[in-house]
Every structure is written in structure tokens, then in C-alpha cells.
Amino acid sequence: QVQLVESGGGLVQAGGSLRLSCVADGRTFANYDMGWFRQAPGKEREFVAAIRLSETTYYTEYTDSVKGRFTISRDNAKNTVYLQMNTLKPEDTGVYYCAADSWVSRTSTPRYWGQGTQVTVSS
């Protein structure tokens, strides 16, 4: 069973920061790449960031709109993936979902998802 639990969302003013967390079960975290997607009101779900393991090196990928502002990372000891979000903008508002699969990228549709956490950025 794949278990993904997000937390850390909330209401912040534009220019502020939030750090989202996603705790996975150990088997999932050990065997899959991880990523973050979001869905804004009235829009379809979109890719935000991914962290992938190739051999012994982790690589990250971001959608253009968050490059330089968001950072994805993982803590293997805690089975947790993070999304540090800085310089938040109102257009970052949406429900953020943690995702896991053997391949997570801008073009992927991961098989496993968390329940989502709401991020609201006010002007």
C-alpha cells in the first residue's frame, strides 16, 4: 500500500514562504521518484517539481514558473520530500499534491498521490 501524506499548506501574503512536506511509507520512498503537482481554481492539474534518482545522484526538475523560487528536496532518514516555496505569488494558489512513481516529470502522470494540501497566497 502506498501512503503519501502532505502537510504545510496555509495562507500567506505575496512574497512570503511556505514549506510543504510529504511523508511516504518506507517502501514507496525507497523505490520511487517523488514530485509535486498543483491545481489552481478553475484550472487543470500541473506539474511543479520532481526529484529523481539516477544511479547514486538525485536530479531535480521544475516547471518554468517556479524556477528560482521553489526547491524540492528529500530527507531519506525521515521518508519525507519537501517543497520549499519562496517569493510566493497569488498565481501559486492551489491545492498541492505529492506524487510518487518510477518516473515523475513534467510529462508524467504518476500512479500514486497524496490527499493534497491547500496553499493560498493573498495580494
Side-chain angles (χ1 to χ4, degrees), residues 3-5 22-30 34 74-82:
Q3 297 280 345
L4 302 172
V5 181
C22 173
V23 180
D25 62 277
R27 182 175 179 84
T28 297
F29 201 77
M34 306 292 293
R74 57 190 286 156
D75 185 335
N76 292 340
K78 297 181 178 180
N79 293 334
T80 302
V81 62
Y82 302 98

Side-chain angles (χ1 to χ4, degrees), residues 24-79:
D25 62 277
R27 182 175 179 84
T28 297
F29 201 77
N31 289 282
Y32 291 108
D33 293 336
M34 306 292 293
W36 290 93
F37 292 71
R38 68 187 180 188
Q39 187 167 16
K43 295 185 177 181
E44 295 184 348
R45 180 192 62 193
E46 67 171 344
F47 169 80
V48 177
I51 184 163
R52 298 186 288 267
L53 178 63
S54 180
E55 295 294 338
T56 59
T57 302
Y58 285 102
Y59 296 89
T60 58
E61 180 186 9
Y62 301 93
T63 191
D64 287 344
S65 64
V66 308
K67 288 181 179 178
R69 300 189 298 120
F70 290 12
T71 302
I72 187 171
S73 62
R74 57 190 286 156
D75 185 335
N76 292 340
K78 297 181 178 180
N79 293 334

Side-chain angles (χ1 to χ4, degrees), residues 38 40-41 43 46 65 69 88-94 96 121:
R38 68 187 180 188
K43 295 185 177 181
E46 67 171 344
S65 64
R69 300 189 298 120
L88 283 161
K89 304 175 180 180
E91 50 263 44
D92 294 318
T93 293
Y96 283 69
V121 184

Side-chain angles (χ1 to χ4, degrees), residues 98-120:
C98 179
D101 209 336
S102 58
W103 177 261
V104 179
S105 74
R106 177 182 58 84
T107 60
S108 72
T109 302
R111 288 176 290 172
Y112 310 112
W113 299 87
Q115 84 288 349
T117 185
Q118 176 70 44
V119 172
T120 303

